[in-house]
Amino acid sequence: MKSGIKVKFWGVRGSIPTPGVKYVKYGGNTSCVEILLPNNMLFIFDAGTGIRELGNSLLKNGKKQKVYIFLSHFHWDHIQGLPFFMPSYQEGNEINILGMNTKETRLDKIISNQMESVYFPVRLQSLKAKIKFQILTEGKLCIDDATINTIYTNHPGMSMGYVITIGKTKIGYFTDNEIVPIPLWSEDTSSLKYQLDMTTKMLALLRDADLLIHDAQYTTEEYKHKVGWGHSSIPEVVSLAMEARVKRLALFHHDPDRFDDHIDVLVANCKEVLNDLPLECFAAHEGMEIHF
Ligand SMILES: [Zn+2]
């Protein structure tokens, strides 16, 4: 049954923006995904360079905006677009920024630091919209009709994964997550137990999800040389999605060296392996919309 949820990809690239003719099909903007709820409440996952176009599109409708921006973590490719999100510059808008603290720094400080004059000409304090911060830890929060489960994931310095449930629709957003038994941010590097707990938690939260958006930066061969970098190989992601009985898997956070034709080949390989198994696998591209 359609519940009127729209998912739209505004940026799908990992690590760094990749303009150029070899990236036209999938796009070169970094991570940004919109989830528009049936009552028009707007959730945005990550503020990579893709958020600029999203912000511009919001201005066109001329209405006052109240948006929730959930950040996975603070590596450049996930926050670089935030100072270019034009609704922040308009009085009457409300921009809620949600994310974790790091060990050293609070969420609000991290974001205001990004707009210090050495990096950017406009200070956070100068923005005309009301900017609110909400610090997240692992757990659960409810916003309007949506329930959002949060879980720390496996990335240097930590990242946060989200499972959003709206009515009967469940969507997972897990970027920058390495699905292997190496806790990249734990003091105890032998902590296999933690990783097992994390995988168990992820599988439980994602069980029967309608859509999983997951970091799929590497091929198996590439991954051999990038262990501990905090990203997953495509076969690992497909296995996890199968185990959780996810219905649709969007490969996301494409490697900056991955040209369009190579992504096509990787997707074709996935489809061949999955054959008639009940998992629809595809690569997310800029502008792609999925409706529930
Ligand atoms: Zn990233």
Side-chain angles (χ1 to χ4, degrees), residues 231-249:
H231 302 287
S232 292
S233 72
I234 294 169
E236 290 285 359
V237 179
V238 171
S239 298
L240 180 111
M242 284 296 299
E243 197 173 343
R245 297 201 306 249
V246 166
K247 296 181 184 76
R248 296 161 105 180
L249 171 63

mmCIF file with all atom_site columns, all heavy atoms in Angstrom, residues 231-249:
data_model
loop_
_atom_site.group_PDB
_atom_site.id
_atom_site.type_symbol
_atom_site.label_atom_id
_atom_site.label_alt_id
_atom_site.label_comp_id
_atom_site.label_asym_id
_atom_site.label_entity_id
_atom_site.label_seq_id
_atom_site.pdbx_PDB_ins_code
_atom_site.Cartn_x
_atom_site.Cartn_y
_atom_site.Cartn_z
_atom_site.occupancy
_atom_site.B_iso_or_equiv
_atom_site.pdbx_formal_charge
_atom_site.auth_seq_id
_atom_site.auth_comp_id
_atom_site.auth_asym_id
_atom_site.auth_atom_id
_atom_site.pdbx_PDB_model_num
ATOM 1   N N   . HIS A 1 231 ? 35.075 1.431   4.864  1.00 0.00 ? 231 HIS A N   1
ATOM 2   C CA  . HIS A 1 231 ? 34.085 1.261   3.797  1.00 0.00 ? 231 HIS A CA  1
ATOM 3   C C   . HIS A 1 231 ? 33.939 -0.224  3.467  1.00 0.00 ? 231 HIS A C   1
ATOM 4   O O   . HIS A 1 231 ? 34.819 -1.021  3.776  1.00 0.00 ? 231 HIS A O   1
ATOM 5   C CB  . HIS A 1 231 ? 34.495 2.036   2.546  1.00 0.00 ? 231 HIS A CB  1
ATOM 6   C CG  . HIS A 1 231 ? 34.661 3.500   2.810  1.00 0.00 ? 231 HIS A CG  1
ATOM 7   N ND1 . HIS A 1 231 ? 33.593 4.338   3.016  1.00 0.00 ? 231 HIS A ND1 1
ATOM 8   C CD2 . HIS A 1 231 ? 35.775 4.264   2.939  1.00 0.00 ? 231 HIS A CD2 1
ATOM 9   C CE1 . HIS A 1 231 ? 34.045 5.563   3.260  1.00 0.00 ? 231 HIS A CE1 1
ATOM 10  N NE2 . HIS A 1 231 ? 35.360 5.541   3.217  1.00 0.00 ? 231 HIS A NE2 1
ATOM 11  N N   . SER A 1 232 ? 32.841 -0.547  2.799  1.00 0.00 ? 232 SER A N   1
ATOM 12  C CA  . SER A 1 232 ? 32.535 -1.960  2.561  1.00 0.00 ? 232 SER A CA  1
ATOM 13  C C   . SER A 1 232 ? 32.740 -2.353  1.108  1.00 0.00 ? 232 SER A C   1
ATOM 14  O O   . SER A 1 232 ? 32.664 -1.513  0.211  1.00 0.00 ? 232 SER A O   1
ATOM 15  C CB  . SER A 1 232 ? 31.076 -2.245  2.936  1.00 0.00 ? 232 SER A CB  1
ATOM 16  O OG  . SER A 1 232 ? 30.907 -2.116  4.320  1.00 0.00 ? 232 SER A OG  1
ATOM 17  N N   . SER A 1 233 ? 32.956 -3.656  0.922  1.00 0.00 ? 233 SER A N   1
ATOM 18  C CA  . SER A 1 233 ? 32.967 -4.184  -0.444 1.00 0.00 ? 233 SER A CA  1
ATOM 19  C C   . SER A 1 233 ? 31.531 -4.562  -0.816 1.00 0.00 ? 233 SER A C   1
ATOM 20  O O   . SER A 1 233 ? 30.716 -4.890  0.052  1.00 0.00 ? 233 SER A O   1
ATOM 21  C CB  . SER A 1 233 ? 33.882 -5.400  -0.543 1.00 0.00 ? 233 SER A CB  1
ATOM 22  O OG  . SER A 1 233 ? 33.288 -6.508  0.098  1.00 0.00 ? 233 SER A OG  1
ATOM 23  N N   . ILE A 1 234 ? 31.258 -4.510  -2.102 1.00 0.00 ? 234 ILE A N   1
ATOM 24  C CA  . ILE A 1 234 ? 29.894 -4.757  -2.573 1.00 0.00 ? 234 ILE A CA  1
ATOM 25  C C   . ILE A 1 234 ? 29.378 -6.142  -2.146 1.00 0.00 ? 234 ILE A C   1
ATOM 26  O O   . ILE A 1 234 ? 28.260 -6.241  -1.643 1.00 0.00 ? 234 ILE A O   1
ATOM 27  C CB  . ILE A 1 234 ? 29.811 -4.543  -4.108 1.00 0.00 ? 234 ILE A CB  1
ATOM 28  C CG1 . ILE A 1 234 ? 30.058 -3.064  -4.408 1.00 0.00 ? 234 ILE A CG1 1
ATOM 29  C CG2 . ILE A 1 234 ? 28.465 -4.988  -4.659 1.00 0.00 ? 234 ILE A CG2 1
ATOM 30  C CD1 . ILE A 1 234 ? 30.264 -2.736  -5.863 1.00 0.00 ? 234 ILE A CD1 1
ATOM 31  N N   . PRO A 1 235 ? 30.167 -7.215  -2.287 1.00 0.00 ? 235 PRO A N   1
ATOM 32  C CA  . PRO A 1 235 ? 29.644 -8.533  -1.865 1.00 0.00 ? 235 PRO A CA  1
ATOM 33  C C   . PRO A 1 235 ? 29.270 -8.584  -0.379 1.00 0.00 ? 235 PRO A C   1
ATOM 34  O O   . PRO A 1 235 ? 28.289 -9.235  -0.011 1.00 0.00 ? 235 PRO A O   1
ATOM 35  C CB  . PRO A 1 235 ? 30.811 -9.485  -2.170 1.00 0.00 ? 235 PRO A CB  1
ATOM 36  C CG  . PRO A 1 235 ? 31.571 -8.802  -3.256 1.00 0.00 ? 235 PRO A CG  1
ATOM 37  C CD  . PRO A 1 235 ? 31.471 -7.342  -2.955 1.00 0.00 ? 235 PRO A CD  1
ATOM 38  N N   . GLU A 1 236 ? 30.041 -7.888  0.469  1.00 0.00 ? 236 GLU A N   1
ATOM 39  C CA  . GLU A 1 236 ? 29.705 -7.870  1.906  1.00 0.00 ? 236 GLU A CA  1
ATOM 40  C C   . GLU A 1 236 ? 28.350 -7.201  2.136  1.00 0.00 ? 236 GLU A C   1
ATOM 41  O O   . GLU A 1 236 ? 27.556 -7.630  2.966  1.00 0.00 ? 236 GLU A O   1
ATOM 42  C CB  . GLU A 1 236 ? 30.785 -7.106  2.699  1.00 0.00 ? 236 GLU A CB  1
ATOM 43  C CG  . GLU A 1 236 ? 32.124 -7.804  2.784  1.00 0.00 ? 236 GLU A CG  1
ATOM 44  C CD  . GLU A 1 236 ? 32.113 -8.971  3.758  1.00 0.00 ? 236 GLU A CD  1
ATOM 45  O OE1 . GLU A 1 236 ? 31.073 -9.232  4.378  1.00 0.00 ? 236 GLU A OE1 1
ATOM 46  O OE2 . GLU A 1 236 ? 33.162 -9.633  3.850  1.00 0.00 ? 236 GLU A OE2 1
ATOM 47  N N   . VAL A 1 237 ? 28.105 -6.127  1.403  1.00 0.00 ? 237 VAL A N   1
ATOM 48  C CA  . VAL A 1 237 ? 26.847 -5.389  1.557  1.00 0.00 ? 237 VAL A CA  1
ATOM 49  C C   . VAL A 1 237 ? 25.674 -6.236  1.072  1.00 0.00 ? 237 VAL A C   1
ATOM 50  O O   . VAL A 1 237 ? 24.627 -6.301  1.715  1.00 0.00 ? 237 VAL A O   1
ATOM 51  C CB  . VAL A 1 237 ? 26.904 -4.059  0.764  1.00 0.00 ? 237 VAL A CB  1
ATOM 52  C CG1 . VAL A 1 237 ? 25.595 -3.302  0.900  1.00 0.00 ? 237 VAL A CG1 1
ATOM 53  C CG2 . VAL A 1 237 ? 28.059 -3.200  1.241  1.00 0.00 ? 237 VAL A CG2 1
ATOM 54  N N   . VAL A 1 238 ? 25.876 -6.898  -0.064 1.00 0.00 ? 238 VAL A N   1
ATOM 55  C CA  . VAL A 1 238 ? 24.809 -7.751  -0.599 1.00 0.00 ? 238 VAL A CA  1
ATOM 56  C C   . VAL A 1 238 ? 24.502 -8.871  0.391  1.00 0.00 ? 238 VAL A C   1
ATOM 57  O O   . VAL A 1 238 ? 23.332 -9.182  0.663  1.00 0.00 ? 238 VAL A O   1
ATOM 58  C CB  . VAL A 1 238 ? 25.212 -8.321  -1.980 1.00 0.00 ? 238 VAL A CB  1
ATOM 59  C CG1 . VAL A 1 238 ? 24.224 -9.380  -2.447 1.00 0.00 ? 238 VAL A CG1 1
ATOM 60  C CG2 . VAL A 1 238 ? 25.309 -7.191  -3.010 1.00 0.00 ? 238 VAL A CG2 1
ATOM 61  N N   . SER A 1 239 ? 25.542 -9.460  0.986  1.00 0.00 ? 239 SER A N   1
ATOM 62  C CA  . SER A 1 239 ? 25.328 -10.550 1.959  1.00 0.00 ? 239 SER A CA  1
ATOM 63  C C   . SER A 1 239 ? 24.541 -10.052 3.158  1.00 0.00 ? 239 SER A C   1
ATOM 64  O O   . SER A 1 239 ? 23.608 -10.715 3.624  1.00 0.00 ? 239 SER A O   1
ATOM 65  C CB  . SER A 1 239 ? 26.674 -11.096 2.473  1.00 0.00 ? 239 SER A CB  1
ATOM 66  O OG  . SER A 1 239 ? 27.387 -11.637 1.412  1.00 0.00 ? 239 SER A OG  1
ATOM 67  N N   . LEU A 1 240 ? 24.921 -8.885  3.662  1.00 0.00 ? 240 LEU A N   1
ATOM 68  C CA  . LEU A 1 240 ? 24.217 -8.333  4.818  1.00 0.00 ? 240 LEU A CA  1
ATOM 69  C C   . LEU A 1 240 ? 22.741 -8.078  4.484  1.00 0.00 ? 240 LEU A C   1
ATOM 70  O O   . LEU A 1 240 ? 21.844 -8.405  5.262  1.00 0.00 ? 240 LEU A O   1
ATOM 71  C CB  . LEU A 1 240 ? 24.878 -7.029  5.259  1.00 0.00 ? 240 LEU A CB  1
ATOM 72  C CG  . LEU A 1 240 ? 24.224 -6.372  6.469  1.00 0.00 ? 240 LEU A CG  1
ATOM 73  C CD1 . LEU A 1 240 ? 25.148 -6.448  7.681  1.00 0.00 ? 240 LEU A CD1 1
ATOM 74  C CD2 . LEU A 1 240 ? 23.854 -4.926  6.206  1.00 0.00 ? 240 LEU A CD2 1
ATOM 75  N N   . ALA A 1 241 ? 22.519 -7.509  3.308  1.00 0.00 ? 241 ALA A N   1
ATOM 76  C CA  . ALA A 1 241 ? 21.133 -7.216  2.898  1.00 0.00 ? 241 ALA A CA  1
ATOM 77  C C   . ALA A 1 241 ? 20.322 -8.503  2.764  1.00 0.00 ? 241 ALA A C   1
ATOM 78  O O   . ALA A 1 241 ? 19.155 -8.562  3.174  1.00 0.00 ? 241 ALA A O   1
ATOM 79  C CB  . ALA A 1 241 ? 21.134 -6.444  1.579  1.00 0.00 ? 241 ALA A CB  1
ATOM 80  N N   . MET A 1 242 ? 20.956 -9.531  2.217  1.00 0.00 ? 242 MET A N   1
ATOM 81  C CA  . MET A 1 242 ? 20.271 -10.830 2.084  1.00 0.00 ? 242 MET A CA  1
ATOM 82  C C   . MET A 1 242 ? 19.927 -11.394 3.456  1.00 0.00 ? 242 MET A C   1
ATOM 83  O O   . MET A 1 242 ? 18.821 -11.880 3.687  1.00 0.00 ? 242 MET A O   1
ATOM 84  C CB  . MET A 1 242 ? 21.165 -11.832 1.336  1.00 0.00 ? 242 MET A CB  1
ATOM 85  C CG  . MET A 1 242 ? 21.252 -11.620 -0.156 1.00 0.00 ? 242 MET A CG  1
ATOM 86  S SD  . MET A 1 242 ? 19.674 -11.862 -0.994 1.00 0.00 ? 242 MET A SD  1
ATOM 87  C CE  . MET A 1 242 ? 19.341 -13.567 -0.581 1.00 0.00 ? 242 MET A CE  1
ATOM 88  N N   . GLU A 1 243 ? 20.915 -11.329 4.353  1.00 0.00 ? 243 GLU A N   1
ATOM 89  C CA  . GLU A 1 243 ? 20.706 -11.898 5.684  1.00 0.00 ? 243 GLU A CA  1
ATOM 90  C C   . GLU A 1 243 ? 19.584 -11.176 6.436  1.00 0.00 ? 243 GLU A C   1
ATOM 91  O O   . GLU A 1 243 ? 18.828 -11.793 7.186  1.00 0.00 ? 243 GLU A O   1
ATOM 92  C CB  . GLU A 1 243 ? 22.019 -11.839 6.481  1.00 0.00 ? 243 GLU A CB  1
ATOM 93  C CG  . GLU A 1 243 ? 22.006 -12.768 7.677  1.00 0.00 ? 243 GLU A CG  1
ATOM 94  C CD  . GLU A 1 243 ? 23.366 -12.849 8.368  1.00 0.00 ? 243 GLU A CD  1
ATOM 95  O OE1 . GLU A 1 243 ? 24.378 -12.449 7.764  1.00 0.00 ? 243 GLU A OE1 1
ATOM 96  O OE2 . GLU A 1 243 ? 23.378 -13.295 9.523  1.00 0.00 ? 243 GLU A OE2 1
ATOM 97  N N   . ALA A 1 244 ? 19.490 -9.870  6.225  1.00 0.00 ? 244 ALA A N   1
ATOM 98  C CA  . ALA A 1 244 ? 18.443 -9.094  6.899  1.00 0.00 ? 244 ALA A CA  1
ATOM 99  C C   . ALA A 1 244 ? 17.105 -9.167  6.149  1.00 0.00 ? 244 ALA A C   1
ATOM 100 O O   . ALA A 1 244 ? 16.135 -8.562  6.578  1.00 0.00 ? 244 ALA A O   1
ATOM 101 C CB  . ALA A 1 244 ? 18.883 -7.648  7.050  1.00 0.00 ? 244 ALA A CB  1
ATOM 102 N N   . ARG A 1 245 ? 17.086 -9.863  5.035  1.00 0.00 ? 245 ARG A N   1
ATOM 103 C CA  . ARG A 1 245 ? 15.891 -9.987  4.192  1.00 0.00 ? 245 ARG A CA  1
ATOM 104 C C   . ARG A 1 245 ? 15.370 -8.621  3.729  1.00 0.00 ? 245 ARG A C   1
ATOM 105 O O   . ARG A 1 245 ? 14.160 -8.360  3.704  1.00 0.00 ? 245 ARG A O   1
ATOM 106 C CB  . ARG A 1 245 ? 14.790 -10.761 4.931  1.00 0.00 ? 245 ARG A CB  1
ATOM 107 C CG  . ARG A 1 245 ? 15.168 -12.203 5.265  1.00 0.00 ? 245 ARG A CG  1
ATOM 108 C CD  . ARG A 1 245 ? 13.956 -13.061 5.505  1.00 0.00 ? 245 ARG A CD  1
ATOM 109 N NE  . ARG A 1 245 ? 13.077 -12.524 6.497  1.00 0.00 ? 245 ARG A NE  1
ATOM 110 C CZ  . ARG A 1 245 ? 12.870 -13.058 7.714  1.00 0.00 ? 245 ARG A CZ  1
ATOM 111 N NH1 . ARG A 1 245 ? 13.486 -14.176 8.048  1.00 0.00 ? 245 ARG A NH1 1
ATOM 112 N NH2 . ARG A 1 245 ? 12.034 -12.508 8.549  1.00 0.00 ? 245 ARG A NH2 1
ATOM 113 N N   . VAL A 1 246 ? 16.322 -7.763  3.392  1.00 0.00 ? 246 VAL A N   1
ATOM 114 C CA  . VAL A 1 246 ? 15.982 -6.449  2.849  1.00 0.00 ? 246 VAL A CA  1
ATOM 115 C C   . VAL A 1 246 ? 15.385 -6.640  1.453  1.00 0.00 ? 246 VAL A C   1
ATOM 116 O O   . VAL A 1 246 ? 15.802 -7.534  0.719  1.00 0.00 ? 246 VAL A O   1
ATOM 117 C CB  . VAL A 1 246 ? 17.268 -5.586  2.779  1.00 0.00 ? 246 VAL A CB  1
ATOM 118 C CG1 . VAL A 1 246 ? 17.072 -4.342  1.934  1.00 0.00 ? 246 VAL A CG1 1
ATOM 119 C CG2 . VAL A 1 246 ? 17.739 -5.225  4.193  1.00 0.00 ? 246 VAL A CG2 1
ATOM 120 N N   . LYS A 1 247 ? 14.432 -5.788  1.093  1.00 0.00 ? 247 LYS A N   1
ATOM 121 C CA  . LYS A 1 247 ? 13.783 -5.950  -0.220 1.00 0.00 ? 247 LYS A CA  1
ATOM 122 C C   . LYS A 1 247 ? 14.564 -5.259  -1.344 1.00 0.00 ? 247 LYS A C   1
ATOM 123 O O   . LYS A 1 247 ? 14.703 -5.789  -2.433 1.00 0.00 ? 247 LYS A O   1
ATOM 124 C CB  . LYS A 1 247 ? 12.359 -5.392  -0.160 1.00 0.00 ? 247 LYS A CB  1
ATOM 125 C CG  . LYS A 1 247 ? 11.471 -6.167  0.824  1.00 0.00 ? 247 LYS A CG  1
ATOM 126 C CD  . LYS A 1 247 ? 10.052 -5.602  0.831  1.00 0.00 ? 247 LYS A CD  1
ATOM 127 C CE  . LYS A 1 247 ? 9.203  -6.316  1.876  1.00 0.00 ? 247 LYS A CE  1
ATOM 128 N NZ  . LYS A 1 247 ? 9.487  -5.885  3.260  1.00 0.00 ? 247 LYS A NZ  1
ATOM 129 N N   . ARG A 1 248 ? 15.074 -4.047  -1.071 1.00 0.00 ? 248 ARG A N   1
ATOM 130 C CA  . ARG A 1 248 ? 15.810 -3.317  -2.110 1.00 0.00 ? 248 ARG A CA  1
ATOM 131 C C   . ARG A 1 248 ? 17.104 -2.764  -1.517 1.00 0.00 ? 248 ARG A C   1
ATOM 132 O O   . ARG A 1 248 ? 17.092 -2.196  -0.420 1.00 0.00 ? 248 ARG A O   1
ATOM 133 C CB  . ARG A 1 248 ? 14.977 -2.155  -2.649 1.00 0.00 ? 248 ARG A CB  1
ATOM 134 C CG  . ARG A 1 248 ? 13.728 -2.630  -3.349 1.00 0.00 ? 248 ARG A CG  1
ATOM 135 C CD  . ARG A 1 248 ? 12.715 -1.507  -3.447 1.00 0.00 ? 248 ARG A CD  1
ATOM 136 N NE  . ARG A 1 248 ? 12.632 -0.972  -4.777 1.00 0.00 ? 248 ARG A NE  1
ATOM 137 C CZ  . ARG A 1 248 ? 11.815 0.021   -5.124 1.00 0.00 ? 248 ARG A CZ  1
ATOM 138 N NH1 . ARG A 1 248 ? 11.050 0.607   -4.240 1.00 0.00 ? 248 ARG A NH1 1
ATOM 139 N NH2 . ARG A 1 248 ? 11.773 0.440   -6.366 1.00 0.00 ? 248 ARG A NH2 1
ATOM 140 N N   . LEU A 1 249 ? 18.172 -2.906  -2.287 1.00 0.00 ? 249 LEU A N   1
ATOM 141 C CA  . LEU A 1 249 ? 19.482 -2.444  -1.825 1.00 0.00 ? 249 LEU A CA  1
ATOM 142 C C   . LEU A 1 249 ? 20.016 -1.389  -2.790 1.00 0.00 ? 249 LEU A C   1
ATOM 143 O O   . LEU A 1 249 ? 20.202 -1.669  -3.981 1.00 0.00 ? 249 LEU A O   1
ATOM 144 C CB  . LEU A 1 249 ? 20.456 -3.624  -1.750 1.00 0.00 ? 249 LEU A CB  1
ATOM 145 C CG  . LEU A 1 249 ? 21.925 -3.269  -1.499 1.00 0.00 ? 249 LEU A CG  1
ATOM 146 C CD1 . LEU A 1 249 ? 22.112 -2.597  -0.130 1.00 0.00 ? 249 LEU A CD1 1
ATOM 147 C CD2 . LEU A 1 249 ? 22.801 -4.525  -1.591 1.00 0.00 ? 249 LEU A CD2 1
#
